[in-house]
Amino acid sequence: MARAGCSASEVLTVAALCGRMRPEPGGGWVAGYPAAELCERLGWGERRRVQAVARLKGRGFLEPIGYAHKGRAAEYRMFPGIPYRFPAKRHEGSDPQPTGRDLKPWRLPEGERGRDP
């Protein structure tokens, strides 16, 4: 989210929604949070919440799948387009390495693991 230029309001909105996520049957996650409750929890006005959600939808972090009605939460598909898979099973003796530009494996040198000398 930092690489996408998200503001603190957007990060806090996603964090609050992550607390109420539930898995979808076909994969992925869905979350909803009543607007008044979210504003109260974060100490925001309605305008700030609306702007944060609109920017998150524009950046592709949220996809609306339901709308608020009579105090119920609007529902959003969290991180659409990012497939969710359960962690792969580890096999005896395997040491899977992360892949990708930003996921380089790293190791601490011996003797520098936060212990006092």
Side-chain angles (χ1 to χ4, degrees):
M1 293 184 73
R3 201 176 313 144
C6 292
S7 68
S9 298
E10 294 168 49
V11 172
L12 288 172
T13 302
V14 168
L17 285 169
C18 284
R20 299 210 174 171
M21 286 191 333
R22 65 182 188 282
E24 279 188 299
W29 295 92
V30 172
Y33 212 115
E37 194 177 323
L38 180 64
C39 289
E40 182 181 332
R41 178 177 180 181
L42 297 174
W44 294 350
E46 180 66 16
R47 183 177 177 158
R48 186 171 177 184
R49 182 199 62 83
V50 168
Q51 288 174 343
V53 169
R55 286 190 305 257
L56 286 166
K57 287 192 280 188
R59 292 174 200 247
F61 287 101
L62 297 178
E63 178 184 320
I65 57 171
Y67 296 95
H69 181 66
K70 292 187 179 179
R72 284 190 243 141
E75 291 201 327
Y76 302 98
R77 185 165 290 115
M78 302 289 292
F79 311 108
I82 300 173
Y84 175 79
R85 289 177 274 165
F86 287 99
K89 294 180 183 176
R90 291 191 66 154
H91 298 286
E92 189 78 25
S94 69
D95 187 18
Q97 294 295 320
T99 58
R101 188 179 73 204
D102 295 338
L103 299 174
K104 297 176 185 148
W106 58 276
R107 304 250 188 259
L108 287 173
E110 289 299 319
E112 295 183 21
R113 297 180 189 252
R115 296 185 201 126
D116 290 338

